[in-house]
Structures are given as C-alpha cells and as structure tokens.
Amino acid sequence: MSKYRSSRAILVLEAPWELDEDDANRSSVLPFIEGVAKLTGDTEVHYANFYDKKSFNKALDCLCKGDFENRTVYIAAHGFKNKVAGVPLIDLLVQVGEKSKKHRITGVVLGSCFVGEHTVAMEVCLEESGLRWCAGYTPAANWLDATLIDCALIARMSAVEESVFYDRELIANELAESIRLFADDYIIGIDYEDNDVRLCDALRFVAQPCGRGHRARDITEMVWRFKNEEI
C-alpha cells in the first residue's frame, strides 16, 4: 500500500514561552499552525522544541526528513536584541540556510520579539542559500496578535508557485497580500522604551530571488507599498 505524501511542509521550532508563572509549556503556536495546514491542505506540520543552539540544530536535523517541494521554517521563541531564546539570531539562520538547498526550505518566519530589526543578519544568511524570504518583528510584539500574522504569512507563502521566487517584486507582492487584512496603524507591541509600535513599523522583510546575480535585500518598503496599493 503506497503512503500518502504531502508536497509542502511547515517546520516549527519552538522554545518554551512561560508567558506567566503558571505556564508549564502551556502556550504554543502549534495549534495555530496545524490549523493553517488543514486550511491550505497538502501540507504537513513537523514540530520540535529547542532550548539552546545545540538543541536547535538537533531539532532542525530531526525535522528535515522526507521529500517535499517546499518547506517553510517557523522559529517561535522569545527574542531580545539580536538573540532568539538566548542564541544569536545569525547562528540559527546560518543553520537553516545551510539546509535550505538540500531540503528545499524557501522561507523563514521569525516569531520573536526585536530580532526583525537585524535585517543585515537576515541578508547575510540568505545570500548563497536556498532561502527566498525572511520576516521578523522589530518590537516586543503581542503574542497572540503576532502569531495570527505569522499564520497569515505562512499560509500564503508556503503555497506560492515556484515561479514567484524568481522575481523580487512578485515575492514582495505575495508577502503584501498575506498581510492585507491587517491594519498598518494597529499597535502590535512596544519598543525598548515602552513606546507603542505600529504594525507598519514593526514587520520587516528580506528577499533573495532565485537566479544568478540576485542578492538578498531588505524589501520592507516595497511590501508595505504593495499592500496599500488599490486593488
């Protein structure tokens, strides 16, 4: 009897949130992402916890199994400055980038506070990899609100046609469409000085199209411009 195989996968690597003193690994993005997979269809969810750099690398190894046409990585953990769960962002992205070509990983959503401000690190890790896009938040984002936005990004970007990844503007347009329902001026979180931060100032994007000569670039301005163009 032949085994059914999906063509897409979402790889979720999550660190414990401990959102309150009673949160004994209660909070998780997993139910939301499983809902995305059911909605989009033809999509498997592969999930693992991580606690540090070593366990992240082990978790990623475990999740990169099977043959899929497209994988999207979702790193969900507390972030601060340039670290995710206490691990330098660039260390995590390097590991994903190194596996991206062999395992057809096309995009990364950073569900972590503050690390989205480090777009240069994203660009460096996308260069010469199979990764085509990366998204992250610049402030301390509200947990549930950001998780819903992450789901919208993952739902659309895990299902795009491969041809989209050959054009920077097409990538930006798909990212823009994924967040079209969310208001630009919605207060998604706070900065280091506890000032309110609007969604349009919070969410950053980097893209690197397929093909020789293309480089990784910050496309945040392009995404928000496309989002607000009249349909």
Side-chain angles (χ1 to χ4, degrees), residues 26-62:
R26 177 195 70 225
S27 303
S28 175
V29 302
L30 181 58
F32 298 88
I33 296 301
E34 289 178 332
V36 167
K38 290 179 179 179
L39 174 68
T40 57
D42 192 29
T43 304
E44 292 186 16
V45 177
H46 297 173
Y47 176 87
N49 282 122
F50 76 98
Y51 308 92
D52 51 24
K53 181 179 177 180
K54 183 177 180 180
S55 58
F56 179 89
N57 296 345
K58 179 63 176 177
L60 187 60
D61 282 340
C62 290

Side-chain angles (χ1 to χ4, degrees), residues 75 88-101 105-106 108 110 118-134 206-208 215-217:
I75 302 175
L89 170 65
I90 198 164
D91 289 351
L92 303 185
L93 288 178
V94 163
Q95 288 300 314
V96 177
E98 287 180 351
K99 293 183 178 296
S100 60
K101 289 185 178 179
I105 303 172
T106 56
V108 180
L110 300 170
H118 301 285
T119 53
V120 173
M122 296 184 208
E123 291 173 14
V124 169
C125 294
L126 262 65
E127 291 284 356
E128 307 302 327
S129 77
L131 296 172
R132 300 299 156 216
W133 63 276
C134 184
V206 170
Q208 176 187 232
R215 307 296 296 272
R217 294 286 184 267

Side-chain angles (χ1 to χ4, degrees), residues 9-212:
I10 304 169
L11 312 186
V12 183
L13 296 104
E14 185 174 42
W17 291 100
E18 298 178 300
L19 296 181
D20 55 58
E21 61 182 14
D22 298 319
D23 190 354
N25 213 24
R26 177 195 70 225
S27 303
S28 175
V29 302
L30 181 58
F32 298 88
I33 296 301
E34 289 178 332
V36 167
K38 290 179 179 179
L39 174 68
T40 57
D42 192 29
T43 304
E44 292 186 16
V45 177
H46 297 173
Y47 176 87
N49 282 122
F50 76 98
Y51 308 92
D52 51 24
K53 181 179 177 180
K54 183 177 180 180
S55 58
F56 179 89
N57 296 345
K58 179 63 176 177
L60 187 60
D61 282 340
C62 290
L63 298 188
C64 287
K65 298 288 196 302
D67 184 22
F68 295 91
E69 295 175 7
N70 183 17
R71 287 179 168 93
T72 304
V73 167
Y74 185 19
I75 302 175
H78 284 299
F80 186 70
K81 294 187 176 179
N82 67 339
K83 293 184 177 181
V84 176
V87 184
L89 170 65
I90 198 164
D91 289 351
L92 303 185
L93 288 178
V94 163
Q95 288 300 314
V96 177
E98 287 180 351
K99 293 183 178 296
S100 60
K101 289 185 178 179
K102 180 179 179 181
H103 299 287
R104 299 175 183 173
I105 303 172
T106 56
V108 180
V109 172
L110 300 170
S112 303
C113 298
F114 297 115
V115 296
E117 63 186 353
H118 301 285
T119 53
V120 173
M122 296 184 208
E123 291 173 14
V124 169
C125 294
L126 262 65
E127 291 284 356
E128 307 302 327
S129 77
L131 296 172
R132 300 299 156 216
W133 63 276
C134 184
Y137 298 89
T138 63
N142 302 326
W143 190 89
L144 180 58
D145 309 45
T147 299
L148 295 176
I149 293 169
D150 295 342
C151 287
L153 285 165
I154 292 168
R156 187 168 189 103
M157 296 305 294
S158 63
V160 298
E161 297 293 331
E162 184 180 1
S163 58
V164 168
F165 295 130
Y166 284 83
D167 187 287
R168 197 182 308 274
E169 290 194 357
L170 290 179
I171 297 172
N173 185 68
E174 292 294 336
L175 289 165
E177 287 297 325
S178 71
I179 57 172
R180 187 173 291 280
L181 292 178
F182 299 95
D184 292 28
D185 59 355
Y186 180 75
I187 303 301
I188 189 66
I190 56 175
D191 63 17
Y192 291 110
E193 285 75 44
D194 292 334
N195 299 308
D196 289 341
V197 179
R198 301 177 304 167
L199 181 60
C200 60
D201 298 319
L203 199 50
R204 300 276 180 84
F205 303 93
V206 170
Q208 176 187 232
C210 300
R212 183 173 298 177

